[in-house]
Amino acid sequence: MEILLLCFRFYPAGESRKSEYHGSDLWYSGKLLRIDLTNEKVVQENLDEATLRKWVGGTGLGAKYLYEEVPAGVDWNDGENRLILASGPLGGTSINGSGTVSIVTKGALTNGAAACQANGFFGAFLRFNGIDCLILQGKAKRWVYLSIQGDEVET
């Protein structure tokens, strides 16, 4: 059984964050975290403005990476599949419903692309920590956790 626990630090209004802005004027942070569960590595990538304009929102970013990185014959429970959690450009703002997060992967029912949105604070916390997208890949050999506190990422 593969388990990943996520932990975020919430930054109250007025408290400074060390995170540097990597995005554009599109209301994105411009950062993606790739979590390789097999090798227990976390890699940060910057998202360019052209990608953010073409693939709008969390579901758009998720669809981009799912179709580019997961080969056609991969099953939903294969380590080559991706589990993508992403927030859209309004994530973490005071607009109603903006705290949602999109989850994109290959679904277990049809083994095809699947996307859903979840309400709550996860999407907002992701954005408050300067991240637009998490891509989980591989299979963990043991229980692992991921702690994100601004620019500090710990596994």
Side-chain angles (χ1 to χ4, degrees):
M1 169 184 269
E2 298 85 33
I3 302 288
L4 175 73
L5 304 174
L6 297 171
C7 170
F8 291 95
R9 182 176 191 282
F10 177 68
Y11 289 89
E15 185 178 328
S16 66
R17 214 176 74 218
K18 296 177 191 171
S19 180
E20 181 182 326
Y21 177 75
H22 295 283
S24 64
D25 59 353
L26 300 175
W27 292 19
Y28 285 97
S29 301
K31 283 188 352 187
L32 171 149
L33 282 184
R34 186 177 299 276
I35 297 101
D36 183 344
L37 298 173
T38 303
N39 299 314
E40 297 184 19
K41 291 185 178 181
V42 177
V43 176
Q44 177 184 313
E45 299 174 13
N46 291 330
L47 296 165
D48 60 68
E49 189 169 330
T51 298
L52 296 174
R53 283 189 183 277
K54 184 174 181 181
W55 304 94
V56 178
T59 303
L61 282 174
K64 171 197 175 0
Y65 288 104
L66 185 70
Y67 285 111
E68 286 181 356
E69 298 182 5
V70 179
V74 171
D75 287 330
W76 68 273
N77 61 349
D78 193 310
E80 288 187 68
N81 191 13
R82 304 289 188 263
L83 179 64
I84 302 156
L85 299 98
S87 179
L90 300 179
T93 66
S94 60
I95 297 171
N96 291 339
S98 65
T100 63
V101 63
S102 294
I103 299 120
V104 180
T105 190
K106 285 187 92 170
L109 183 62
T110 64
N111 210 35
C116 68
Q117 286 72 40
N119 292 314
F121 298 108
F122 186 84
F125 287 169
L126 198 63
R127 292 296 304 282
F128 291 158
N129 282 281
I131 300 165
D132 291 313
C133 183
L134 294 176
I135 298 179
L136 305 170
Q137 61 191 63
K139 289 188 177 185
K141 298 173 187 111
R142 60 184 180 87
W143 282 61
V144 295
Y145 72 94
L146 176 68
S147 174
I148 301 170
Q149 298 184 27
D151 286 342
E152 297 175 23
V153 179
E154 179 183 332
T155 59

